[in-house]
Amino acid sequence: MKNLESKFDEIYKTNYPKVIRLCLGYVNGDSMLAKELAQDVFIKVWENLHTFRKESSLSTWIYRITVNTCLSSFKKGKMGYMTNELINLENKIDLEEEQENNELQISQLYCCINKLNKDNKSIILLELEGLPQKEIAEVMGFTHEVIRVRIHRIKNELTKCVTK
């Protein structure tokens, strides 16, 4: 049991920063909600660590759990309240201030990311996390070519959205 606990501690320390950043992307920077989601992710990792089949890297498996946890939270309505807040926030953002203030630029980007469909949102958040496209393909269950094309299209869509 101690060996499993120390293994989990190492997994947690190594992967928590990646998981929390990905969760923050799903909840538009709401740190409390992101921490709650990250906690759910690591509970699932702990409960299912014995089932990890090593068909992919451990971090890929944890990313998949994170994506699924965030998406299922949307379905359960945990993050439903964010939609109206995001729409109101987007309407209030002044484009000139946005260029002067990096925080507003990041907020605008998250608003645009939140407009994407669930697959595209997952793909771009993993891309922003710095995952190689082949690993993103593995996490998402698509071919590398599909991911490569989608990332290009998503970036174009986000560029148009942010520069409106």
Side-chain angles (χ1 to χ4, degrees), residues 115-162:
K115 292 178 182 179
L116 298 172
N117 70 41
K118 66 178 185 160
D119 283 343
N120 286 350
K121 182 176 182 177
S122 297
I123 290 167
I124 199 63
L125 289 173
L126 291 169
E127 171 76 5
L128 290 171
E129 184 59 32
L131 242 63
Q133 291 181 0
K134 287 183 180 181
E135 194 169 342
I136 294 171
E138 196 175 321
V139 168
M140 297 300 299
F142 295 119
T143 65
H144 178 243
E145 180 64 21
V146 167
I147 293 298
R148 191 182 67 71
V149 170
R150 278 216 187 168
I151 287 173
H152 177 73
R153 290 180 181 161
I154 294 166
K155 286 180 178 178
N156 285 341
E157 188 177 337
L158 289 175
T159 300
K160 289 177 187 172
C161 178
V162 170

Short mmCIF file of all heavy atoms in Angstrom, two decimals, residues 115-162:
data_model
loop_
_atom_site.label_atom_id
_atom_site.label_comp_id
_atom_site.label_asym_id
_atom_site.label_seq_id
_atom_site.Cartn_x
_atom_site.Cartn_y
_atom_site.Cartn_z
N LYS A 115 -16.50 29.02 -26.98
CA LYS A 115 -17.51 28.97 -28.04
C LYS A 115 -17.31 27.75 -28.95
O LYS A 115 -18.20 27.41 -29.72
CB LYS A 115 -17.44 30.23 -28.90
CG LYS A 115 -17.89 31.48 -28.17
CD LYS A 115 -17.74 32.70 -29.07
CE LYS A 115 -18.13 33.96 -28.33
NZ LYS A 115 -17.96 35.15 -29.18
N LEU A 116 -16.15 27.12 -28.86
CA LEU A 116 -15.86 25.96 -29.72
C LEU A 116 -16.68 24.76 -29.28
O LEU A 116 -17.09 24.66 -28.11
CB LEU A 116 -14.37 25.61 -29.63
CG LEU A 116 -13.37 26.66 -30.09
CD1 LEU A 116 -11.95 26.23 -29.75
CD2 LEU A 116 -13.51 26.91 -31.58
N ASN A 117 -16.88 23.81 -30.20
CA ASN A 117 -17.55 22.58 -29.80
C ASN A 117 -16.61 21.79 -28.88
O ASN A 117 -15.43 22.09 -28.77
CB ASN A 117 -18.00 21.76 -31.02
CG ASN A 117 -16.86 21.14 -31.79
OD1 ASN A 117 -15.90 20.61 -31.23
ND2 ASN A 117 -16.95 21.19 -33.12
N LYS A 118 -17.15 20.79 -28.20
CA LYS A 118 -16.38 20.12 -27.15
C LYS A 118 -15.10 19.47 -27.67
O LYS A 118 -14.07 19.54 -27.01
CB LYS A 118 -17.24 19.09 -26.41
CG LYS A 118 -17.68 17.91 -27.23
CD LYS A 118 -18.48 16.91 -26.42
CE LYS A 118 -18.77 15.73 -27.30
NZ LYS A 118 -19.11 14.55 -26.60
N ASP A 119 -15.12 18.85 -28.84
CA ASP A 119 -13.91 18.21 -29.37
C ASP A 119 -12.85 19.26 -29.71
O ASP A 119 -11.69 19.11 -29.35
CB ASP A 119 -14.22 17.37 -30.62
CG ASP A 119 -14.87 16.04 -30.28
OD1 ASP A 119 -14.79 15.62 -29.10
OD2 ASP A 119 -15.44 15.42 -31.19
N ASN A 120 -13.27 20.31 -30.42
CA ASN A 120 -12.31 21.35 -30.79
C ASN A 120 -11.74 22.06 -29.57
O ASN A 120 -10.56 22.40 -29.53
CB ASN A 120 -12.94 22.36 -31.75
CG ASN A 120 -13.13 21.79 -33.13
OD1 ASN A 120 -12.62 20.72 -33.46
ND2 ASN A 120 -13.87 22.49 -33.97
N LYS A 121 -12.58 22.27 -28.56
CA LYS A 121 -12.12 22.89 -27.33
C LYS A 121 -11.06 22.01 -26.67
O LYS A 121 -10.00 22.49 -26.26
CB LYS A 121 -13.30 23.11 -26.38
CG LYS A 121 -12.94 23.80 -25.10
CD LYS A 121 -14.19 24.06 -24.28
CE LYS A 121 -13.85 24.80 -23.01
NZ LYS A 121 -15.05 25.12 -22.24
N SER A 122 -11.32 20.72 -26.58
CA SER A 122 -10.36 19.79 -25.99
C SER A 122 -9.05 19.79 -26.77
O SER A 122 -7.97 19.83 -26.19
CB SER A 122 -10.94 18.37 -25.95
OG SER A 122 -12.08 18.33 -25.13
N ILE A 123 -9.16 19.77 -28.08
CA ILE A 123 -7.98 19.73 -28.94
C ILE A 123 -7.12 20.97 -28.74
O ILE A 123 -5.91 20.88 -28.53
CB ILE A 123 -8.38 19.58 -30.43
CG1 ILE A 123 -8.94 18.17 -30.68
CG2 ILE A 123 -7.19 19.85 -31.35
CD1 ILE A 123 -9.66 18.01 -32.02
N ILE A 124 -7.74 22.17 -28.75
CA ILE A 124 -6.94 23.39 -28.65
C ILE A 124 -6.36 23.56 -27.25
O ILE A 124 -5.24 24.04 -27.10
CB ILE A 124 -7.72 24.66 -29.10
CG1 ILE A 124 -6.75 25.80 -29.42
CG2 ILE A 124 -8.74 25.09 -28.08
CD1 ILE A 124 -5.80 25.54 -30.56
N LEU A 125 -7.08 23.13 -26.22
CA LEU A 125 -6.53 23.23 -24.86
C LEU A 125 -5.33 22.31 -24.70
O LEU A 125 -4.35 22.66 -24.05
CB LEU A 125 -7.60 22.93 -23.82
CG LEU A 125 -8.68 24.01 -23.67
CD1 LEU A 125 -9.79 23.54 -22.75
CD2 LEU A 125 -8.09 25.33 -23.19
N LEU A 126 -5.39 21.13 -25.30
CA LEU A 126 -4.24 20.22 -25.25
C LEU A 126 -3.08 20.79 -26.06
O LEU A 126 -1.92 20.68 -25.66
CB LEU A 126 -4.64 18.83 -25.76
CG LEU A 126 -5.61 18.06 -24.85
CD1 LEU A 126 -6.13 16.83 -25.56
CD2 LEU A 126 -4.95 17.68 -23.53
N GLU A 127 -3.39 21.42 -27.20
CA GLU A 127 -2.35 22.06 -28.02
C GLU A 127 -1.69 23.20 -27.24
O GLU A 127 -0.47 23.33 -27.22
CB GLU A 127 -2.98 22.60 -29.32
CG GLU A 127 -2.08 23.48 -30.15
CD GLU A 127 -1.02 22.73 -30.94
OE1 GLU A 127 -1.01 21.49 -30.95
OE2 GLU A 127 -0.18 23.40 -31.56
N LEU A 128 -2.50 24.02 -26.57
CA LEU A 128 -1.96 25.12 -25.78
C LEU A 128 -1.13 24.61 -24.60
O LEU A 128 -0.20 25.28 -24.15
CB LEU A 128 -3.09 26.02 -25.26
CG LEU A 128 -3.80 26.86 -26.32
CD1 LEU A 128 -5.03 27.53 -25.74
CD2 LEU A 128 -2.86 27.88 -26.94
N GLU A 129 -1.46 23.42 -24.13
CA GLU A 129 -0.71 22.80 -23.04
C GLU A 129 0.66 22.34 -23.53
O GLU A 129 1.55 22.07 -22.74
CB GLU A 129 -1.52 21.63 -22.48
CG GLU A 129 -0.92 20.95 -21.30
CD GLU A 129 -0.70 21.87 -20.10
OE1 GLU A 129 -1.47 22.81 -19.90
OE2 GLU A 129 0.29 21.65 -19.39
N GLY A 130 0.84 22.27 -24.85
CA GLY A 130 2.13 21.89 -25.40
C GLY A 130 2.25 20.41 -25.73
O GLY A 130 3.35 19.92 -26.01
N LEU A 131 1.15 19.69 -25.72
CA LEU A 131 1.20 18.28 -26.08
C LEU A 131 1.52 18.13 -27.55
O LEU A 131 1.00 18.88 -28.38
CB LEU A 131 -0.18 17.64 -25.82
CG LEU A 131 -0.24 16.54 -24.80
CD1 LEU A 131 0.15 17.03 -23.43
CD2 LEU A 131 -1.57 15.88 -24.78
N PRO A 132 2.35 17.17 -27.90
CA PRO A 132 2.60 16.91 -29.33
C PRO A 132 1.29 16.50 -30.01
O PRO A 132 0.43 15.86 -29.40
CB PRO A 132 3.59 15.75 -29.31
CG PRO A 132 4.17 15.73 -27.94
CD PRO A 132 3.13 16.30 -27.03
N GLN A 133 1.16 16.85 -31.28
CA GLN A 133 -0.08 16.56 -32.00
C GLN A 133 -0.37 15.07 -32.07
O GLN A 133 -1.52 14.66 -32.02
CB GLN A 133 -0.04 17.18 -33.39
CG GLN A 133 -0.11 18.69 -33.34
CD GLN A 133 -0.10 19.35 -34.70
OE1 GLN A 133 -0.04 18.70 -35.73
NE2 GLN A 133 -0.17 20.68 -34.70
N LYS A 134 0.66 14.24 -32.14
CA LYS A 134 0.43 12.79 -32.16
C LYS A 134 -0.19 12.32 -30.84
O LYS A 134 -1.05 11.45 -30.83
CB LYS A 134 1.73 12.04 -32.44
CG LYS A 134 2.17 12.16 -33.87
CD LYS A 134 3.42 11.35 -34.15
CE LYS A 134 3.82 11.53 -35.61
NZ LYS A 134 4.99 10.76 -35.96
N GLU A 135 0.24 12.91 -29.74
CA GLU A 135 -0.32 12.54 -28.45
C GLU A 135 -1.75 13.07 -28.31
O GLU A 135 -2.62 12.40 -27.75
CB GLU A 135 0.55 13.08 -27.32
CG GLU A 135 0.22 12.47 -25.98
CD GLU A 135 1.24 12.78 -24.90
OE1 GLU A 135 2.38 13.19 -25.22
OE2 GLU A 135 0.90 12.60 -23.72
N ILE A 136 -2.02 14.25 -28.85
CA ILE A 136 -3.38 14.78 -28.85
C ILE A 136 -4.29 13.83 -29.63
O ILE A 136 -5.41 13.52 -29.21
CB ILE A 136 -3.44 16.20 -29.45
CG1 ILE A 136 -2.67 17.18 -28.56
CG2 ILE A 136 -4.88 16.66 -29.64
CD1 ILE A 136 -2.48 18.56 -29.16
N ALA A 137 -3.80 13.34 -30.76
CA ALA A 137 -4.57 12.39 -31.57
C ALA A 137 -4.90 11.14 -30.75
O ALA A 137 -6.03 10.64 -30.79
CB ALA A 137 -3.79 12.01 -32.84
N GLU A 138 -3.92 10.68 -29.99
CA GLU A 138 -4.13 9.50 -29.16
C GLU A 138 -5.15 9.77 -28.06
O GLU A 138 -6.05 8.96 -27.83
CB GLU A 138 -2.78 9.10 -28.54
CG GLU A 138 -2.75 7.71 -27.99
CD GLU A 138 -1.34 7.35 -27.51
OE1 GLU A 138 -0.36 7.73 -28.18
OE2 GLU A 138 -1.26 6.69 -26.47
N VAL A 139 -5.05 10.92 -27.41
CA VAL A 139 -5.99 11.28 -26.35
C VAL A 139 -7.40 11.40 -26.90
O VAL A 139 -8.36 10.91 -26.30
CB VAL A 139 -5.58 12.62 -25.68
CG1 VAL A 139 -6.69 13.15 -24.79
CG2 VAL A 139 -4.31 12.44 -24.88
N MET A 140 -7.53 12.03 -28.06
CA MET A 140 -8.85 12.32 -28.62
C MET A 140 -9.43 11.18 -29.45
O MET A 140 -10.61 11.18 -29.76
CB MET A 140 -8.79 13.59 -29.48
CG MET A 140 -8.41 14.84 -28.70
SD MET A 140 -9.55 15.24 -27.37
CE MET A 140 -11.08 15.47 -28.25
N GLY A 141 -8.60 10.23 -29.84
CA GLY A 141 -9.10 9.11 -30.63
C GLY A 141 -9.24 9.43 -32.11
O GLY A 141 -10.07 8.84 -32.80
N PHE A 142 -8.45 10.37 -32.60
CA PHE A 142 -8.44 10.74 -34.01
C PHE A 142 -7.08 10.41 -34.60
O PHE A 142 -6.12 10.17 -33.88
CB PHE A 142 -8.70 12.25 -34.21
CG PHE A 142 -10.05 12.72 -33.77
CD1 PHE A 142 -10.19 13.66 -32.77
CD2 PHE A 142 -11.21 12.23 -34.37
CE1 PHE A 142 -11.44 14.11 -32.36
CE2 PHE A 142 -12.46 12.68 -33.97
CZ PHE A 142 -12.58 13.61 -32.97
N THR A 143 -6.98 10.47 -35.93
CA THR A 143 -5.68 10.29 -36.57
C THR A 143 -4.87 11.57 -36.42
O THR A 143 -5.43 12.66 -36.20
CB THR A 143 -5.82 9.96 -38.07
OG1 THR A 143 -6.39 11.10 -38.73
CG2 THR A 143 -6.68 8.72 -38.30
N HIS A 144 -3.56 11.45 -36.57
CA HIS A 144 -2.69 12.62 -36.48
C HIS A 144 -3.07 13.64 -37.56
O HIS A 144 -3.08 14.85 -37.32
CB HIS A 144 -1.23 12.19 -36.60
CG HIS A 144 -0.28 13.35 -36.58
ND1 HIS A 144 0.52 13.66 -37.63
CD2 HIS A 144 -0.05 14.30 -35.63
CE1 HIS A 144 1.22 14.74 -37.34
NE2 HIS A 144 0.90 15.14 -36.13
N GLU A 145 -3.38 13.17 -38.76
CA GLU A 145 -3.74 14.08 -39.85
C GLU A 145 -5.00 14.88 -39.51
O GLU A 145 -5.06 16.08 -39.76
CB GLU A 145 -3.95 13.28 -41.15
CG GLU A 145 -4.33 14.12 -42.35
CD GLU A 145 -3.24 15.11 -42.78
OE1 GLU A 145 -2.06 14.92 -42.45
OE2 GLU A 145 -3.59 16.09 -43.46
N VAL A 146 -6.01 14.23 -38.94
CA VAL A 146 -7.23 14.92 -38.56
C VAL A 146 -6.91 16.01 -37.53
O VAL A 146 -7.39 17.15 -37.63
CB VAL A 146 -8.29 13.92 -38.00
CG1 VAL A 146 -9.43 14.65 -37.31
CG2 VAL A 146 -8.82 13.04 -39.12
N ILE A 147 -6.09 15.68 -36.55
CA ILE A 147 -5.72 16.66 -35.51
C ILE A 147 -4.96 17.82 -36.12
O ILE A 147 -5.22 18.99 -35.81
CB ILE A 147 -4.90 15.98 -34.40
CG1 ILE A 147 -5.76 14.99 -33.62
CG2 ILE A 147 -4.26 17.02 -33.46
CD1 ILE A 147 -6.96 15.60 -32.90
N ARG A 148 -4.02 17.53 -37.01
CA ARG A 148 -3.23 18.58 -37.65
C ARG A 148 -4.14 19.57 -38.38
O ARG A 148 -4.00 20.79 -38.24
CB ARG A 148 -2.23 17.95 -38.62
CG ARG A 148 -1.18 18.91 -39.14
CD ARG A 148 -0.24 18.24 -40.12
NE ARG A 148 -0.88 17.85 -41.37
CZ ARG A 148 -1.31 18.72 -42.31
NH1 ARG A 148 -1.15 20.00 -42.15
NH2 ARG A 148 -1.88 18.28 -43.41
N VAL A 149 -5.08 19.06 -39.15
CA VAL A 149 -6.01 19.91 -39.90
C VAL A 149 -6.92 20.69 -38.96
O VAL A 149 -7.14 21.89 -39.12
CB VAL A 149 -6.83 19.06 -40.91
CG1 VAL A 149 -7.96 19.87 -41.52
CG2 VAL A 149 -5.92 18.49 -41.99
N ARG A 150 -7.45 20.00 -37.95
CA ARG A 150 -8.36 20.66 -37.00
C ARG A 150 -7.66 21.79 -36.25
O ARG A 150 -8.24 22.85 -36.05
CB ARG A 150 -8.92 19.65 -36.00
CG ARG A 150 -10.09 18.88 -36.54
CD ARG A 150 -11.07 18.65 -35.43
NE ARG A 150 -12.14 17.78 -35.86
CZ ARG A 150 -12.99 17.25 -35.04
NH1 ARG A 150 -12.88 17.44 -33.75
NH2 ARG A 150 -13.95 16.49 -35.49
N ILE A 151 -6.43 21.57 -35.82
CA ILE A 151 -5.70 22.60 -35.10
C ILE A 151 -5.53 23.83 -35.98
O ILE A 151 -5.72 24.97 -35.53
CB ILE A 151 -4.35 22.07 -34.56
CG1 ILE A 151 -4.60 21.12 -33.39
CG2 ILE A 151 -3.43 23.22 -34.15
CD1 ILE A 151 -3.37 20.40 -32.89
N HIS A 152 -5.20 23.62 -37.24
CA HIS A 152 -5.06 24.74 -38.17
C HIS A 152 -6.38 25.51 -38.28
O HIS A 152 -6.40 26.75 -38.20
CB HIS A 152 -4.62 24.22 -39.54
CG HIS A 152 -4.52 25.27 -40.59
ND1 HIS A 152 -3.50 26.20 -40.61
CD2 HIS A 152 -5.33 25.58 -41.63
CE1 HIS A 152 -3.69 27.03 -41.63
NE2 HIS A 152 -4.79 26.66 -42.26
N ARG A 153 -7.48 24.80 -38.44
CA ARG A 153 -8.80 25.44 -38.57
C ARG A 153 -9.21 26.14 -37.28
O ARG A 153 -9.77 27.24 -37.30
CB ARG A 153 -9.85 24.42 -38.99
CG ARG A 153 -9.67 23.94 -40.41
CD ARG A 153 -10.71 22.93 -40.79
NE ARG A 153 -10.49 22.47 -42.16
CZ ARG A 153 -10.99 21.37 -42.66
NH1 ARG A 153 -11.75 20.58 -41.92
NH2 ARG A 153 -10.74 21.02 -43.91
N ILE A 154 -8.96 25.50 -36.14
CA ILE A 154 -9.31 26.09 -34.85
C ILE A 154 -8.53 27.37 -34.63
O ILE A 154 -9.09 28.39 -34.19
CB ILE A 154 -9.04 25.09 -33.70
CG1 ILE A 154 -9.98 23.88 -33.80
CG2 ILE A 154 -9.19 25.77 -32.34
CD1 ILE A 154 -9.56 22.70 -32.92
N LYS A 155 -7.25 27.37 -34.95
CA LYS A 155 -6.43 28.58 -34.79
C LYS A 155 -6.97 29.71 -35.66
O LYS A 155 -7.03 30.87 -35.21
CB LYS A 155 -4.97 28.30 -35.12
CG LYS A 155 -4.26 27.51 -34.04
CD LYS A 155 -2.81 27.24 -34.40
CE LYS A 155 -2.08 26.49 -33.31
NZ LYS A 155 -0.68 26.20 -33.67
N ASN A 156 -7.37 29.40 -36.88
CA ASN A 156 -7.96 30.43 -37.74
C ASN A 156 -9.25 30.97 -37.15
O ASN A 156 -9.48 32.19 -37.15
CB ASN A 156 -8.21 29.86 -39.14
CG ASN A 156 -6.95 29.71 -39.94
OD1 ASN A 156 -5.92 30.31 -39.66
ND2 ASN A 156 -7.01 28.87 -40.98
N GLU A 157 -10.08 30.06 -36.63
CA GLU A 157 -11.35 30.46 -36.02
C GLU A 157 -11.12 31.34 -34.79
O GLU A 157 -11.78 32.36 -34.61
CB GLU A 157 -12.14 29.20 -35.64
CG GLU A 157 -13.54 29.43 -35.17
CD GLU A 157 -14.29 28.15 -34.88
OE1 GLU A 157 -13.93 27.09 -35.43
OE2 GLU A 157 -15.24 28.20 -34.09
N LEU A 158 -10.15 30.96 -33.96
CA LEU A 158 -9.86 31.74 -32.77
C LEU A 158 -9.27 33.11 -33.11
O LEU A 158 -9.59 34.11 -32.47
CB LEU A 158 -8.90 30.98 -31.84
CG LEU A 158 -9.50 29.76 -31.13
CD1 LEU A 158 -8.43 29.02 -30.35
CD2 LEU A 158 -10.65 30.15 -30.23
N THR A 159 -8.43 33.14 -34.15
CA THR A 159 -7.86 34.42 -34.58
C THR A 159 -8.96 35.37 -35.02
O THR A 159 -8.97 36.56 -34.63
CB THR A 159 -6.87 34.20 -35.74
OG1 THR A 159 -5.81 33.34 -35.28
CG2 THR A 159 -6.28 35.50 -36.23
N LYS A 160 -9.92 34.87 -35.79
CA LYS A 160 -11.05 35.71 -36.22
C LYS A 160 -11.87 36.17 -35.02
O LYS A 160 -12.28 37.33 -34.95
CB LYS A 160 -11.95 34.93 -37.19
CG LYS A 160 -11.33 34.71 -38.54
CD LYS A 160 -12.24 33.87 -39.42
CE LYS A 160 -11.55 33.51 -40.72
NZ LYS A 160 -12.34 32.55 -41.50
N CYS A 161 -12.10 35.27 -34.08
CA CYS A 161 -12.91 35.59 -32.90
C CYS A 161 -12.24 36.67 -32.04
O CYS A 161 -12.87 37.63 -31.63
CB CYS A 161 -13.18 34.34 -32.08
SG CYS A 161 -14.13 34.62 -30.57
N VAL A 162 -10.95 36.51 -31.78
CA VAL A 162 -10.23 37.42 -30.90
C VAL A 162 -10.05 38.79 -31.53
O VAL A 162 -10.07 39.81 -30.84
CB VAL A 162 -8.85 36.82 -30.49
CG1 VAL A 162 -8.00 37.84 -29.77
CG2 VAL A 162 -9.06 35.60 -29.60
#
